Amino acid sequence: MSPLIKAAFVLLLFVLSACSPAPQEYLRISGTTMGTTYHINLRAPPGDWDEQSLKSALDKRLDAFNQIASTYIDDSELSLLNNLPAGEWRQLTPMLFDILVQAVEVSWLSNGAFDVTVGPLVDLWGFGPEKHYVKPTDDAVNQALQEVGFDRIELDISENKLKKNAPLRIDLSAIAKGYGVDVVALWLESLGSTDYLVEIGGEMRVAGLSPRGDQWRIGVESPDLAADKTTPILLGKIGVATSGDYRNYFEENGVRYSHTIDPRTGRPITHNLASVTVLDPSSAFADAMATAFSVLGSDKTLALAEQLNIPVYLIEKTENGFTSRYSSAFAPYLEQE
């Protein structure tokens, strides 16, 4: 969707209705949005809805969302905001303002590990649209850091206004897919749908029952692709987001540089956290926190997750392969053998 690459691949695998087709009352629709794909499996809502009519109505809503939050659409609301000179207030639509409030909240909660202004650093390290994969100089990193800083975004809650106190470029791709999932889920609920799974680019939200008539079950994929291993988790009404650090990187002089950039240092992360899965009623919050946790690393992630009572599942790379840890709030979601 934008130059700010979140590093969230489709790390969650559907393990739904593996051997039998879905009952007739369940519908499946799919398509493309935000530069990725979406898949929805739901019990048909009341009325005359079918797959074609649902997809048509859904695509219109997703197009409208892109017109608000995309950096690839020149006249989107976000693009116009980015063109606004520093120091000027701009009144935003309720949806864009809400996304930014949630983004800034996660930034403060994570002590800046999540930052929607990190784009200049991502581009500098070659993980933006123009990929070059060459280690930048320290001077270049320090210069790019001058163009980054969520704390220089000022929000007026009473009037839905925003002011940039520096010439910042805001990019929402580390939260937009999760927010889009929430938009779709709430729209389905407004139609009377009570049983659904919504997935956009790997971020999910589920409610009610699966086509089998029990809880939705998904698998968290292991970074060790050769092992073909997943950890099954059972979900109620909740959002899911996964961020990983093992498929997008470059190497120079024997050193591995991750695409996950710490906005506070301006440099790629160096810890061994390979994948983090976050659960929350809000897919947007889960999406943003997954990115923040990917920056923080395992120990700081678990400490913050325990403090905030966030269900989080970590996969770490060790000398002996991959191992997992999780917060106490995550334990109830693990499928018991």
Side-chain angles (χ1 to χ4, degrees):
M1 175 182 173
S2 81
L4 178 56
I5 298 179
K6 171 181 175 284
F9 298 87
V10 183
L11 304 176
L12 296 174
L13 305 178
F14 291 96
V15 286
L16 313 171
S17 309
C19 301
S20 59
Q24 185 64 37
E25 67 267 21
Y26 273 78
L27 306 176
R28 299 190 183 200
I29 58 178
S30 60
T32 59
T33 187
M34 305 183 209
T36 187
T37 59
Y38 71 79
H39 300 87
I40 300 173
N41 192 356
L42 76 158
R43 188 189 299 273
D48 298 326
W49 293 100
D50 57 19
E51 292 177 356
Q52 183 175 356
S53 59
L54 272 172
K55 177 174 170 53
S56 177
L58 172 61
D59 285 341
K60 290 180 180 178
R61 281 163 174 78
L62 290 172
D63 287 345
F65 178 66
N66 271 320
Q67 188 61 40
I68 290 173
S70 174
T71 56
Y72 282 94
I73 300 175
D74 291 339
D75 63 348
S76 72
E77 185 178 6
L78 180 60
S79 293
L80 296 176
L81 175 63
N82 280 334
N83 291 332
L84 187 72
E88 293 188 17
W89 285 98
R90 169 66 63 87
Q91 187 163 30
L92 306 179
T93 60
M95 183 172 288
L96 181 57
F97 190 80
D98 184 48
I99 300 172
L100 287 164
V101 167
Q102 292 192 50
V104 170
E105 177 189 10
V106 172
S107 294
W108 285 113
L109 286 174
S110 64
N111 193 31
F114 178 82
D115 193 327
V116 293
T117 71
V118 75
L121 289 166
V122 174
D123 293 347
L124 179 66
W125 283 91
F127 296 105
E130 299 180 5
K131 299 181 175 11
H132 51 79
Y133 302 141
V134 176
K135 179 187 175 183
T137 65
D138 289 345
D139 287 344
V141 171
N142 291 333
Q143 179 60 39
L145 278 168
Q146 302 306 310
E147 304 172 33
V148 174
F150 77 93
D151 53 346
R152 293 186 283 181
I153 296 174
E154 191 170 345
L155 299 170
D156 183 341
I157 303 294
S158 63
E159 297 188 19
N160 283 12
K161 289 183 178 181
L162 179 145
K163 179 175 68 171
K164 299 180 295 180
N165 291 319
L168 305 172
R169 187 179 86 228
I170 298 172
D171 191 302
L172 300 174
S173 57
I175 190 173
K177 290 191 291 293
Y179 196 94
V181 168
D182 290 333
V183 168
V184 173
L186 292 174
W187 173 64
L188 292 176
E189 290 178 8
S190 74
L191 300 180
S193 181
T194 57
D195 307 282
Y196 59 77
L197 182 151
V198 177
E199 178 264 334
I200 299 178
E203 321 305 358
M204 296 185 187
R205 181 161 157 169
V206 305
L209 301 177
S210 76
R212 295 186 309 259
D214 57 5
Q215 285 179 279
W216 293 99
R217 180 185 296 110
I218 66 171
V220 181
E221 181 186 55
S222 169
D224 186 0
L225 300 181
D228 191 26
K229 179 181 178 182
T230 62
T231 299
I233 56 176
L234 295 173
L235 304 173
K237 186 174 183 179
I238 203 161
V240 188
T242 293
S243 183
D245 174 56
Y246 55 92
R247 291 181 181 172
N248 195 5
Y249 61 90
F250 72 90
E251 292 187 4
E252 184 176 297
N253 297 324
V255 179
R256 181 180 182 274
Y257 295 100
S258 167
H259 77 287
T260 302
I261 308 299
D262 188 332
R264 303 163 300 180
T265 66
R267 292 165 173 79
I269 59 172
T270 58
H271 54 68
N272 65 344
L273 178 57
S275 170
V276 53
T277 296
V278 181
L279 307 181
D280 191 81
S282 163
S283 290
F285 182 80
D287 193 1
M289 286 304 301
T291 297
F293 288 149
S294 291
V295 170
L296 289 174
S298 299
D299 292 341
K300 292 181 179 178
T301 287
L302 286 175
L304 184 57
E306 293 296 343
Q307 178 185 344
L308 300 177
N309 196 35
I310 297 176
V312 59
Y313 184 88
L314 310 178
I315 300 178
E316 301 167 293
K317 185 175 183 179
T318 71
E319 294 180 355
N320 299 317
F322 291 95
T323 186
S324 62
R325 289 196 282 168
Y326 50 87
S327 66
S328 55
F330 195 93
Y333 297 93
L334 290 170
E335 183 177 24
Q336 301 300 316
E337 298 291 344

